[in-house]
Amino acid sequence: MNATPNLNDLKPNARAAAGDVVLSGAEVLLRVLVDQGVEVVFGYPGGAVLPIYDALFRQNAIRHVLVRHEQAAVHAAEAYARSTGKVGVVLVTSGPGATNAVTGLVDALMDSIPVVCFSGQVGVPLIGTDAFQEADTTGITRPATKHNYLVRRAGDLARVVHEAFHIARSGRPGPVLVDLPKNLTVGPAPYQPASRAPHPSYRPRTEPDREAVARAVAAMKGAKRPLFYTGGGIINSGPRASEALGRLVRMTGFPCTSTLMGLGAFPTTDRQFLGMLGMHGTYEANLATHGCDVLVALGARFDDRVTGRLDAFSPDSFKIHADIDPSQINKIVQVDVPVLGDAGRIIEMMIEEWARQSEIPDSAALAQWWQQIDAWRGIRSLHFEQDMTPSAIIRPQHAVRRLYELAMETGRDTYVSTEVGQHQMWAAQHFQFDRPNRWLTSGGLGTMGYGLPAAVGAQIAHPDALVIDIAGEASTLMNIQELGTIAQYRLPVKLFILNNQYMGMVRQWQELLHGSRYSESYSAALPDFVRLAESFHARGMRATCVGELDDVIRAMLAEPGAVVADISVAQDENCYPMIPSGAAHNQMLLGPEQDGEVKVSAEGRMLV
Amino acid sequence: MTTQEETTISAVISILVENESGVLARVIGLFSGRGYNIESLTVAPVEESRHQSRINIVTSGTPQVIEQIKAQVGRLVPVYRVSDLTTLGPHVAREMALVKVVSSGESRTEALRIAEAFRARAVDTTATSFVFELTGATDKLDSFIDLMRPLGLAEVSRTGVAAIVRGPRTI
Ligand SMILES: Cc1ncc(C[n+]2csc(CCOP(=O)(O)OP(=O)(O)O)c2C)c(N)n1
Ligand SMILES: [Mg+2]
């Protein structure tokens, strides 16, 4: 397969013909990581990766962050990647180390996050013998990664590692796993710099077709009720894409909505932003999606959380779909103009075309559209009433709002991660993001336990920033061991738990769809989070009523070290607005007054 | 899946891949993971240096599903090209079968007679059995096997479809 000689059987410390010192495979790996600009590796040691840990020990260029569970290593690397735009790097041992990483890999796959995960493997001669801690890691992770490799020959090592980074970060980004048999990391291996030759078979297209963009812009010029529907692809494309999006939205005057993954690409506090769309999106975003005549999807993939009932999704619109991944085009929704390429490049080209095409947009129609949108806005679908009596129960939305407002008062650069559940949706609705890369959440996979390790990754990448995990009490217990990592590296992460003593999102569905039979969704036997924090060398704080909330948030924000803030919130709160499964965007539930009207179809009941 | 017609069509997908370990598993895993059909599958190296293999898959689905199959397969890193031969124009699709018939007397002569009509070759003959080798389109093989059924059909081994576009065009 490759002309490089097989160096497996060379003796260690033998000298290569050129006279260079022969490096071990582990040393070659680290050298390639340095070439690739890697500064941090999140990992956990074990027998099969000991040679790599030994090489790490003897160098200073790469920092290793010891997590407490391999799943957390991947989530930390994901957040590192998402908050910096670099590739996140993970190192785990064979067998259980690799299997523990699988959830994180699938999470990164679903959200298109560039991660390279190195797993140890038993030596090549032992593969297939059920050796100790052997697992078919490439077999297990094949559908969990964008691509994976089992390196069988030392001569392939450097090339494969370079290639893994290229594949993880280019095209539609994603996780790549490289399985490294122990004999290859112990034995000698040839170092190679990154090749400049294009990959023989993998050639993602990034530069859009001008003609497709021109057709898209022509439709936009003729629109009477246009809407931008933006997604995580813009964040992935880099800050330039978000900056360009801002220009495009302003120059067109069009309204803009975003998916969960895209929040922050366009400032969520901007007047032209309608809020998030989809299952827990705003009334105005969903009705605009339903009623628009030209829908411009940018780096978004028509996920089922966004579309609701498909045959009723944006029924009268001319659809433009910009995506880097050809397989997303016409996958869920048939579109009129597909534009393949990097979202940032497409947006920049749209700006050029908008200026170049001489048609005058119908500003009267647009003004009328905005009037309609403002009327929908008048419904105030995210509104809630908080009883401000000091002893009143805290509503979770209020807790998020206050957290946002008080965090803004600090003026600090703020990164927010979340777990999965109601609190995640409240965070998406009530925390505001005016810049990209500040919002770290598990969208596609919806992985409980994502937020705390993600906060670790973000804080490692941005040591001086304010990093908050907006958590639920159930989710946070899924990776609570990361309080150990936080303690070890003195990370000033703030774990802000909206404690409703329920798996609230499960409870909500049980209330609305299963006759309020709360089967196994009560968070029984919860720990005392304050004492838990203290046992992990962090500060624990608690707010049990509205009167205590602001003081606790202020104290948390003022605390130089890690904090666990246990915020008791209303147990029976449901997350609104909501499009029940199988319903259309114009069949939203706005609040509990309408719960009686929930009529989920038989098909809807089968949907997740 | 809002507007497209729901008619199921059959398609022959040819995939040119880097001949590396695990590549077939990637393709097959993609089909099973995404719920696409595989009616038949062939794979073999097709290039002198054996760096590239060609996988031919006969599948079926709505036109939209077939489009998705192509796009999803095209995403795999070791895939050079993927084509739907059924949309590229006329193509030749052939498979080979080895058919064992165990019988005597009347049935035995009848089997031989039908084999001749189908231009099947007896590649193994004993006093009580034949192994016929037959190449052709899938439906020709199907009907031959059907005809052998009452005549002592004992075992069938088929290769699956190899296909190529007619004329000077290539995938
Ligand atoms: C690993 C995992 N298991 C199960 C689920 C299903 N699930 C989604 S939300 C949820 C409840 C989350 O509870 P909590 O963290 O307390 O958040 P809340 O909804 O109460 O805000 C569950 C069990 C999931 N998303 N992830
Ligand atoms: Mg909860």
Side-chain angles (χ1 to χ4, degrees), chain A residues 422-423 472-475 498-505 523:
Chain A
Q422 291 178 320
H423 62 276
E473 82 296 335
S475 295
L498 297 180
N499 187 345
N500 54 11
Q501 298 190 38
Y502 272 96
M503 299 171 195
M505 191 56 94
S523 290

Side-chain angles (χ1 to χ4, degrees), chain A residues 1-2 142 145-149 152 163 167 172 199-202 310-312 325-334, chain B residues 1-4 16 18-23 25-27 29 34 51 64 67-68 71-72 74-80:
Chain A
M1 256 196 339
N2 191 305
R142 205 170 282 129
T145 52
K146 178 174 176 184
H147 193 52
N148 64 13
Y149 302 85
R152 290 175 176 276
E163 194 177 297
I167 288 172
R172 179 178 180 183
H199 190 279
S201 56
Y202 170 78
L310 266 180
D311 58 5
D325 178 357
S327 74
Q328 300 310 302
I329 307 289
N330 294 334
K331 181 182 74 173
I332 306 286
V333 169
Q334 295 287 328
Chain B
M1 323 225 161
T2 34
T3 50
Q4 87 291 347
L16 215 51
E18 177 74 23
N19 188 15
E20 62 183 29
S21 84
V23 63
R26 279 181 215 288
V27 173
R34 293 190 181 266
H51 280 325
Q64 199 191 7
E67 274 307 303
Q68 261 297 297
Q72 293 288 353
R75 248 169 28 132
L76 297 175
V77 169
V79 168
Y80 287 96

Side-chain angles (χ1 to χ4, degrees), chain A residues 428-479:
Chain A
Q429 294 171 339
H430 297 282
F431 211 97
Q432 303 300 323
F433 298 93
D434 286 342
R435 280 194 283 170
N437 307 95
R438 304 300 191 278
W439 165 244
L440 312 164
T441 198
S442 168
L445 196 62
T447 311
M448 290 170 70
Y450 171 86
L452 192 56
V456 167
Q459 191 82 75
I460 291 281
H462 311 277
D464 300 325
L466 173 60
V467 178
I468 307 169
D469 174 21
I470 299 181
E473 82 296 335
S475 295
T476 206
L477 287 177
M478 286 213 176
N479 270 322

